[in-house]
Amino acid sequence: MHKPMNLSPVNPCDSGLGGTSCYGAALMPCDLLFAWLPVSLRLAAALALLLAVTVIVVRVFRQRSLRHRRVEEELRAAKEELERRVAERTDALHHANEQLKQQLAERMRVEEELRQGRNMLEQIIDTIPQFVFWKDKDSIYQGCNIVFARAAGLEDPVSIRGKSDYDLPWLREESDAYRTDDRSVMDRDIAKYHIIEQQLQANGERYWVDTTKVPLRDETGAVVGVLGIYDNITERKAIEEARDRALAMLESLLASSPTGILVYDGESGACVKANQAIATMVGGTVEQLLSQNFRSIASFKETGIYALGELVLDDGQTRAMEVDINTSFGKSFEVEVFLSRFDVEGRHHLMFISVDLTERKQLENEKRLIEAQMLHVQKLESLGVLAGGIAHDFNNILMVVLGNADLALLRLPPGSPACENLVQIEQAASRAADLARQMLAYSGRGKFVIENLDLTRVVQEMAPMLEVSISKKALLRYDLAPDLPPVSGDATQLHQVILNLVINASEAIGDGTGVISISTKLTECDRAYLSESWVDDRLPEGAYVVLEVSDTGCGIDREVIPKIFDPFFTTKFTGRGLGMAAVLGIVRAHKGAIKVYSEKGKGSSFRLLLPCVHGAADHPEPSPLRELWRGSGTVLLADDEESIRVLGSDMLRALGFDVTLACDGREAVELFKTGMDDIVCVLLDLTMPYLDGEQTFRALRAIKPDVKVIMSSGYNEQEVSQKFAGAGLSGFIQKPYKVVEMSRKLSEVLGGKGSAAPQ
């Protein structure tokens, strides 16, 4: 039930309800109602209104409280959500921070590794001995290492940036070549390896370099430049060139070696090397030898070379053997083979060195022959020395014979029957003296005298000697042409030639009877005729004097004829084999030739051709009888032969001189010192003991420079004059000499001061 409402106006604000101004403003329409209603109604209304208001307020407050609680719940939920989200975000941020720290640490680690790697790379690039550089697409340098910078004359690798090859010390053509290679590498996007070229360094040296260039790419793979690296191969190049030269020399030595060389693979047996010498030796070609296998060569198996080769391959010991081999190319010869093993890249190889023994054997035979010849020569030298000694002593004996015969002729009256005998003694002694001179020439102690000779006269002079030199059963016949033109030569040598030919003819006749014919004539010889002779030194055509010696003896085999002029060749059991060789040498020295005609069983003919010379032949005429020149004073005669001293003393006294005798050079010097004032001339023998003639002469000249000295010797005047040329020798007299020759020589030396007496 509702109470009546107080309708009196009531100020809601005074109700103690504590409303707000806003709420009071909302009740303002009640004021109008209170004005119109009675008080109770107005009170009831007021209560109702108050109740309503209270309800409303309560409800409002409840709603507000609910809202507040809801807001608080929402705030609390929001706070919790916020705190949750903050916590989650904080966790996320913490996690992100931790991740960031890890990433930063990783980045710092990577950057440190990159820095260390870059430093390491820079150190590697700067410390390697190779030259390193890199360029951009325009071949402009972007960097290099220290080695390259120094080569370019730069102090720091950084200085290279922005430079081109033309800014560096390279030659212009070198720079052109470098840029061409750069362009090729970048355009074709292909690396170039081992570009061998030369490069001028900043220090002026010129290196050989081995360059490799590769394209540089960016992260997209596009070519942006070129990277180059090269080595200084100058030393290697020099070594390679030295090796190439050594190989070339080895190849040249192998090719030009006179010994045959073969190299076989030890495992397969195939020939891997052969030189031309072995190809020539065996009669094949190098290509044919290279196609062979030493294990399948028949001649190697037959001669034992194959077995020896296998033994060498097995133990590596060098071995040699001499064999007579018949090669697979049809050639036979004697060979010495040296086999040795060597390794190439771990593989055994067998080397054959072959020496053709044909020439060596021939040389050994020739050596034995030469040794035998040398023995003969030594014997002949001994014979020559013996002949010289015999000739010297023989001359002294002849001197005594000839001199005493001459003195006897002086002392006998002209009509004495003994004069004829003495003349014959003189003639025989003179011929014996000529023989002694020949012996001296044979021994090498005499000189040959070249003069214009009448060959017919030379033969005639030898007739008595030839008669006694041949077999008693051989008959000498002469067919000598008169008035022949002269030939230039030495009579003694020609005597030897004639004597050898005649003795050979006599021995060809042997124990039987036969005829030896000696003829001389003049003939015209053309080139064809001269070319068929044994001495064809391109002799000129023209007139030649012919000396022919023929016999009716046994003749000479055709195959022997070419050997008869060889030294030491002889068909005689006791012969020395020098006769015809000496003949050939003498004829050649006289610019002549020899022609030989012979047939087995029909005899032989030797024809000497000697060129004619202009002028007349020298004919030594016998000295005309003249008065002996006589002098005075003392003559010192020095000779080691007592018989010569006695004979000389008689001759000098017969010429009016006093004589002082000395048995050797030392005594002659002593005697001259004591009696030089009385001695007008000294006669010295050339060969004496203690002091020989030359030493004595110089000693006398030292004592008295103007002393008159005549030298006496069995050697000819030419040889003695050569010894004393310019020394002041007054004269020379050759042994054996006669009184008239001594008289003439003393007259020449002493100026003819004296008297003459008839002989």
Short mmCIF file of all heavy atoms in Angstrom, two decimals, residues 3-53:
data_model
loop_
_atom_site.label_atom_id
_atom_site.label_comp_id
_atom_site.label_asym_id
_atom_site.label_seq_id
_atom_site.Cartn_x
_atom_site.Cartn_y
_atom_site.Cartn_z
N LYS A 3 1.50 5.14 0.78
CA LYS A 3 1.11 6.26 1.59
C LYS A 3 0.88 7.42 0.71
O LYS A 3 1.46 7.55 -0.34
CB LYS A 3 2.20 6.62 2.62
CG LYS A 3 2.43 5.52 3.65
CD LYS A 3 3.48 5.96 4.61
CE LYS A 3 3.69 4.96 5.69
NZ LYS A 3 4.71 5.34 6.62
N PRO A 4 -0.02 8.39 1.16
CA PRO A 4 -0.22 9.56 0.35
C PRO A 4 1.01 10.37 0.27
O PRO A 4 1.79 10.52 1.21
CB PRO A 4 -1.30 10.32 1.10
CG PRO A 4 -1.32 9.76 2.49
CD PRO A 4 -0.87 8.44 2.45
N MET A 5 1.25 10.80 -0.86
CA MET A 5 2.48 11.50 -1.18
C MET A 5 2.34 12.92 -0.80
O MET A 5 1.26 13.52 -0.94
CB MET A 5 2.75 11.37 -2.68
CG MET A 5 2.96 9.92 -3.14
SD MET A 5 3.26 9.84 -4.88
CE MET A 5 4.63 10.74 -4.99
N ASN A 6 3.37 13.48 -0.23
CA ASN A 6 3.46 14.90 0.09
C ASN A 6 3.76 15.62 -1.17
O ASN A 6 4.83 15.50 -1.72
CB ASN A 6 4.51 15.14 1.14
CG ASN A 6 4.54 16.59 1.60
OD1 ASN A 6 3.62 17.40 1.25
ND2 ASN A 6 5.43 16.94 2.51
N LEU A 7 2.68 16.43 -1.52
CA LEU A 7 2.83 17.11 -2.79
C LEU A 7 3.41 18.46 -2.63
O LEU A 7 3.52 19.20 -3.60
CB LEU A 7 1.47 17.23 -3.46
CG LEU A 7 0.82 15.89 -3.86
CD1 LEU A 7 -0.66 16.21 -4.41
CD2 LEU A 7 1.65 15.15 -4.74
N SER A 8 3.81 18.80 -1.41
CA SER A 8 4.47 20.10 -1.23
C SER A 8 5.82 20.08 -1.85
O SER A 8 6.54 19.07 -1.82
CB SER A 8 4.56 20.45 0.25
OG SER A 8 5.32 19.46 0.91
N PRO A 9 6.02 21.19 -2.35
CA PRO A 9 7.34 21.24 -3.02
C PRO A 9 8.44 21.01 -2.05
O PRO A 9 8.49 21.59 -0.98
CB PRO A 9 7.41 22.64 -3.62
CG PRO A 9 6.28 23.42 -3.06
CD PRO A 9 5.26 22.52 -2.35
N VAL A 10 9.17 20.17 -2.41
CA VAL A 10 10.39 19.80 -1.61
C VAL A 10 11.62 19.98 -2.47
O VAL A 10 11.64 19.55 -3.62
CB VAL A 10 10.31 18.33 -1.13
CG1 VAL A 10 11.57 18.00 -0.35
CG2 VAL A 10 9.08 18.12 -0.30
N ASN A 11 12.56 20.60 -1.87
CA ASN A 11 13.87 20.78 -2.58
C ASN A 11 14.61 19.49 -2.48
O ASN A 11 14.97 19.08 -1.38
CB ASN A 11 14.65 21.90 -1.95
CG ASN A 11 15.90 22.24 -2.82
OD1 ASN A 11 16.13 21.57 -3.78
ND2 ASN A 11 16.57 23.33 -2.43
N PRO A 12 14.75 18.91 -3.56
CA PRO A 12 15.44 17.62 -3.52
C PRO A 12 16.82 17.72 -2.97
O PRO A 12 17.33 16.78 -2.42
CB PRO A 12 15.49 17.15 -5.00
CG PRO A 12 14.53 18.00 -5.75
CD PRO A 12 14.27 19.28 -4.91
N CYS A 13 17.24 18.84 -2.99
CA CYS A 13 18.64 19.00 -2.54
C CYS A 13 18.69 19.02 -1.04
O CYS A 13 19.76 18.81 -0.46
CB CYS A 13 19.28 20.28 -3.12
SG CYS A 13 19.41 20.29 -4.93
N ASP A 14 17.50 19.26 -0.46
CA ASP A 14 17.48 19.33 0.97
C ASP A 14 17.05 18.01 1.56
O ASP A 14 16.83 17.88 2.78
CB ASP A 14 16.51 20.42 1.44
CG ASP A 14 16.98 21.81 1.01
OD1 ASP A 14 18.25 21.98 0.83
OD2 ASP A 14 16.14 22.68 0.82
N SER A 15 16.79 17.07 0.84
CA SER A 15 16.35 15.77 1.30
C SER A 15 17.41 14.96 1.97
O SER A 15 17.14 13.91 2.50
CB SER A 15 15.77 14.96 0.14
OG SER A 15 16.76 14.71 -0.79
N GLY A 16 18.53 15.49 1.94
CA GLY A 16 19.66 14.77 2.55
C GLY A 16 20.13 13.60 1.75
O GLY A 16 20.82 12.75 2.28
N LEU A 17 19.72 13.57 0.53
CA LEU A 17 20.09 12.41 -0.30
C LEU A 17 21.45 12.61 -0.92
O LEU A 17 21.96 11.72 -1.51
CB LEU A 17 19.05 12.15 -1.37
CG LEU A 17 17.69 11.70 -0.85
CD1 LEU A 17 16.64 11.59 -1.97
CD2 LEU A 17 17.72 10.47 -0.01
N GLY A 18 21.86 13.85 -0.75
CA GLY A 18 23.23 14.10 -1.28
C GLY A 18 23.32 13.96 -2.75
O GLY A 18 24.26 13.37 -3.24
N GLY A 19 22.31 14.41 -3.54
CA GLY A 19 22.46 14.32 -5.02
C GLY A 19 23.36 15.36 -5.54
O GLY A 19 23.69 16.33 -4.89
N THR A 20 23.67 15.18 -6.74
CA THR A 20 24.55 16.12 -7.44
C THR A 20 23.74 17.15 -8.11
O THR A 20 22.51 17.03 -8.27
CB THR A 20 25.39 15.37 -8.49
OG1 THR A 20 24.55 14.87 -9.49
CG2 THR A 20 26.23 14.28 -7.86
N SER A 21 24.40 18.14 -8.53
CA SER A 21 23.73 19.22 -9.24
C SER A 21 23.10 18.71 -10.49
O SER A 21 22.04 19.19 -10.90
CB SER A 21 24.73 20.33 -9.53
OG SER A 21 25.77 19.88 -10.32
N CYS A 22 23.70 17.84 -11.07
CA CYS A 22 23.16 17.29 -12.31
C CYS A 22 21.89 16.53 -12.02
O CYS A 22 20.91 16.59 -12.77
CB CYS A 22 24.20 16.35 -12.98
SG CYS A 22 25.64 17.21 -13.63
N TYR A 23 21.90 15.78 -10.97
CA TYR A 23 20.72 15.02 -10.61
C TYR A 23 19.59 15.93 -10.19
O TYR A 23 18.41 15.71 -10.56
CB TYR A 23 21.10 14.03 -9.51
CG TYR A 23 20.01 13.05 -9.18
CD1 TYR A 23 19.71 12.00 -10.04
CD2 TYR A 23 19.17 13.24 -8.02
CE1 TYR A 23 18.65 11.10 -9.72
CE2 TYR A 23 18.13 12.33 -7.72
CZ TYR A 23 17.89 11.25 -8.57
OH TYR A 23 16.87 10.38 -8.25
N GLY A 24 19.92 16.96 -9.39
CA GLY A 24 18.93 17.93 -8.99
C GLY A 24 18.34 18.62 -10.17
O GLY A 24 17.14 18.91 -10.21
N ALA A 25 19.13 18.90 -11.11
CA ALA A 25 18.63 19.51 -12.34
C ALA A 25 17.67 18.60 -13.02
O ALA A 25 16.71 19.05 -13.66
CB ALA A 25 19.82 19.85 -13.24
N ALA A 26 17.81 17.32 -12.83
CA ALA A 26 16.90 16.38 -13.45
C ALA A 26 15.55 16.38 -12.76
O ALA A 26 14.53 15.97 -13.33
CB ALA A 26 17.52 14.98 -13.42
N LEU A 27 15.47 16.81 -11.52
CA LEU A 27 14.21 16.84 -10.77
C LEU A 27 13.49 18.15 -10.87
O LEU A 27 12.45 18.37 -10.22
CB LEU A 27 14.48 16.51 -9.29
CG LEU A 27 15.02 15.08 -9.01
CD1 LEU A 27 15.22 14.95 -7.47
CD2 LEU A 27 14.05 14.07 -9.48
N MET A 28 13.98 18.99 -11.57
CA MET A 28 13.34 20.30 -11.68
C MET A 28 11.90 20.22 -12.14
O MET A 28 11.01 20.99 -11.67
CB MET A 28 14.16 21.18 -12.61
CG MET A 28 15.43 21.71 -11.96
SD MET A 28 16.34 22.77 -13.10
CE MET A 28 15.14 24.07 -13.26
N PRO A 29 11.43 19.31 -12.95
CA PRO A 29 10.02 19.24 -13.31
C PRO A 29 9.13 18.92 -12.12
O PRO A 29 7.90 19.23 -12.12
CB PRO A 29 10.01 18.11 -14.34
CG PRO A 29 11.39 18.08 -14.92
CD PRO A 29 12.24 18.51 -13.78
N CYS A 30 9.56 18.40 -11.01
CA CYS A 30 8.77 18.11 -9.83
C CYS A 30 8.30 19.38 -9.13
O CYS A 30 7.28 19.41 -8.42
CB CYS A 30 9.58 17.24 -8.86
SG CYS A 30 9.89 15.60 -9.50
N ASP A 31 9.13 20.32 -9.31
CA ASP A 31 8.77 21.60 -8.68
C ASP A 31 7.45 22.09 -9.24
O ASP A 31 6.60 22.69 -8.51
CB ASP A 31 9.87 22.63 -8.93
CG ASP A 31 11.18 22.24 -8.20
OD1 ASP A 31 11.10 21.42 -7.23
OD2 ASP A 31 12.26 22.69 -8.63
N LEU A 32 7.20 21.82 -10.42
CA LEU A 32 5.96 22.24 -11.03
C LEU A 32 4.80 21.42 -10.49
O LEU A 32 3.67 21.91 -10.27
CB LEU A 32 6.06 22.07 -12.55
CG LEU A 32 7.09 23.01 -13.28
CD1 LEU A 32 7.14 22.66 -14.73
CD2 LEU A 32 6.63 24.44 -13.09
N LEU A 33 5.09 20.13 -10.25
CA LEU A 33 4.03 19.26 -9.72
C LEU A 33 3.64 19.62 -8.31
O LEU A 33 2.48 19.60 -7.93
CB LEU A 33 4.53 17.80 -9.83
CG LEU A 33 3.60 16.69 -9.37
CD1 LEU A 33 2.22 16.75 -10.24
CD2 LEU A 33 4.24 15.34 -9.46
N PHE A 34 4.66 19.98 -7.48
CA PHE A 34 4.38 20.34 -6.09
C PHE A 34 3.58 21.63 -5.99
O PHE A 34 2.82 21.85 -5.02
CB PHE A 34 5.68 20.51 -5.31
CG PHE A 34 6.39 19.16 -5.04
CD1 PHE A 34 7.72 19.10 -4.96
CD2 PHE A 34 5.56 18.00 -4.78
CE1 PHE A 34 8.33 17.90 -4.69
CE2 PHE A 34 6.20 16.82 -4.49
CZ PHE A 34 7.58 16.73 -4.47
N ALA A 35 3.76 22.35 -6.93
CA ALA A 35 3.04 23.61 -6.87
C ALA A 35 1.55 23.42 -7.08
O ALA A 35 0.72 24.22 -6.63
CB ALA A 35 3.60 24.58 -7.91
N TRP A 36 1.15 22.39 -7.79
CA TRP A 36 -0.21 22.17 -8.16
C TRP A 36 -0.93 21.19 -7.29
O TRP A 36 -2.14 21.11 -7.24
CB TRP A 36 -0.27 21.68 -9.60
CG TRP A 36 0.21 22.75 -10.56
CD1 TRP A 36 1.34 22.92 -11.07
CD2 TRP A 36 -0.62 23.77 -10.99
NE1 TRP A 36 1.42 24.02 -11.89
CE2 TRP A 36 0.13 24.60 -11.83
CE3 TRP A 36 -2.06 24.24 -10.72
CZ2 TRP A 36 -0.32 25.75 -12.48
CZ3 TRP A 36 -2.46 25.37 -11.41
CH2 TRP A 36 -1.59 26.13 -12.27
N LEU A 37 -0.15 20.31 -6.57
CA LEU A 37 -0.74 19.27 -5.77
C LEU A 37 -0.85 19.71 -4.34
O LEU A 37 -0.04 20.49 -3.86
CB LEU A 37 0.08 18.01 -5.88
CG LEU A 37 0.11 17.30 -7.28
CD1 LEU A 37 0.99 16.18 -7.24
CD2 LEU A 37 -1.30 16.91 -7.63
N PRO A 38 -1.83 19.05 -3.60
CA PRO A 38 -1.89 19.33 -2.19
C PRO A 38 -0.72 18.79 -1.49
O PRO A 38 0.04 18.03 -2.05
CB PRO A 38 -3.16 18.62 -1.75
CG PRO A 38 -3.68 17.85 -2.93
CD PRO A 38 -2.98 18.22 -4.04
N VAL A 39 -0.60 19.12 -0.23
CA VAL A 39 0.63 18.84 0.49
C VAL A 39 0.81 17.37 0.65
O VAL A 39 1.90 16.88 0.49
CB VAL A 39 0.59 19.55 1.84
CG1 VAL A 39 1.81 19.14 2.70
CG2 VAL A 39 0.55 21.04 1.66
N SER A 40 -0.27 16.65 1.01
CA SER A 40 -0.10 15.20 1.21
C SER A 40 0.24 14.50 -0.05
O SER A 40 1.04 13.61 -0.06
CB SER A 40 -1.38 14.61 1.78
OG SER A 40 -2.44 14.86 0.86
N LEU A 41 -0.51 15.05 -0.97
CA LEU A 41 -0.17 14.43 -2.26
C LEU A 41 1.25 14.76 -2.68
O LEU A 41 1.94 13.94 -3.21
CB LEU A 41 -1.16 14.88 -3.33
CG LEU A 41 -2.55 14.27 -3.24
CD1 LEU A 41 -3.53 14.95 -4.25
CD2 LEU A 41 -2.52 12.79 -3.37
N ARG A 42 1.42 16.00 -2.27
CA ARG A 42 2.76 16.43 -2.62
C ARG A 42 3.73 15.66 -1.79
O ARG A 42 4.77 15.26 -2.30
CB ARG A 42 2.96 17.93 -2.43
CG ARG A 42 2.33 18.75 -3.55
CD ARG A 42 2.73 20.14 -3.33
NE ARG A 42 2.16 20.69 -2.06
CZ ARG A 42 1.83 21.87 -1.92
NH1 ARG A 42 1.98 22.79 -2.86
NH2 ARG A 42 1.34 22.26 -0.77
N LEU A 43 3.43 15.35 -0.53
CA LEU A 43 4.36 14.57 0.29
C LEU A 43 4.47 13.17 -0.20
O LEU A 43 5.57 12.62 -0.28
CB LEU A 43 3.87 14.60 1.74
CG LEU A 43 4.80 13.84 2.75
CD1 LEU A 43 6.19 14.45 2.75
CD2 LEU A 43 4.16 13.95 4.18
N ALA A 44 3.31 12.61 -0.50
CA ALA A 44 3.38 11.24 -1.02
C ALA A 44 4.11 11.17 -2.32
O ALA A 44 4.88 10.26 -2.57
CB ALA A 44 1.97 10.68 -1.21
N ALA A 45 3.80 12.16 -3.04
CA ALA A 45 4.53 12.20 -4.34
C ALA A 45 6.01 12.37 -4.13
O ALA A 45 6.83 11.79 -4.81
CB ALA A 45 3.94 13.31 -5.22
N ALA A 46 6.21 13.18 -3.08
CA ALA A 46 7.65 13.41 -2.81
C ALA A 46 8.31 12.14 -2.33
O ALA A 46 9.44 11.81 -2.72
CB ALA A 46 7.81 14.52 -1.78
N LEU A 47 7.55 11.39 -1.46
CA LEU A 47 8.11 10.16 -0.98
C LEU A 47 8.28 9.17 -2.10
O LEU A 47 9.29 8.48 -2.20
CB LEU A 47 7.22 9.55 0.10
CG LEU A 47 7.26 10.28 1.45
CD1 LEU A 47 6.14 9.69 2.41
CD2 LEU A 47 8.59 10.17 2.09
N ALA A 48 7.21 9.15 -2.88
CA ALA A 48 7.33 8.23 -4.03
C ALA A 48 8.48 8.61 -4.94
O ALA A 48 9.21 7.77 -5.42
CB ALA A 48 6.01 8.20 -4.80
N LEU A 49 8.45 9.89 -5.05
CA LEU A 49 9.58 10.37 -5.91
C LEU A 49 10.89 10.09 -5.26
O LEU A 49 11.84 9.67 -5.94
CB LEU A 49 9.38 11.84 -6.17
CG LEU A 49 10.44 12.51 -7.09
CD1 LEU A 49 10.44 11.83 -8.46
CD2 LEU A 49 10.12 14.02 -7.24
N LEU A 50 10.85 10.26 -3.91
CA LEU A 50 12.14 10.00 -3.21
C LEU A 50 12.49 8.54 -3.31
O LEU A 50 13.64 8.20 -3.50
CB LEU A 50 11.99 10.45 -1.75
CG LEU A 50 13.24 10.20 -0.86
CD1 LEU A 50 14.44 11.01 -1.37
CD2 LEU A 50 12.91 10.65 0.59
N LEU A 51 11.44 7.76 -3.14
CA LEU A 51 11.69 6.31 -3.23
C LEU A 51 12.20 5.95 -4.61
O LEU A 51 13.13 5.16 -4.76
CB LEU A 51 10.40 5.56 -2.90
CG LEU A 51 10.53 4.00 -2.92
CD1 LEU A 51 11.53 3.52 -1.87
CD2 LEU A 51 9.13 3.39 -2.61
N ALA A 52 11.51 6.56 -5.54
CA ALA A 52 11.95 6.26 -6.92
C ALA A 52 13.38 6.72 -7.16
O ALA A 52 14.18 6.04 -7.78
CB ALA A 52 10.97 6.91 -7.92
N VAL A 53 13.51 7.90 -6.56
CA VAL A 53 14.89 8.43 -6.75
C VAL A 53 15.88 7.55 -6.05
O VAL A 53 16.97 7.26 -6.55
CB VAL A 53 14.96 9.88 -6.25
CG1 VAL A 53 16.42 10.36 -6.20
CG2 VAL A 53 14.14 10.80 -7.14
#
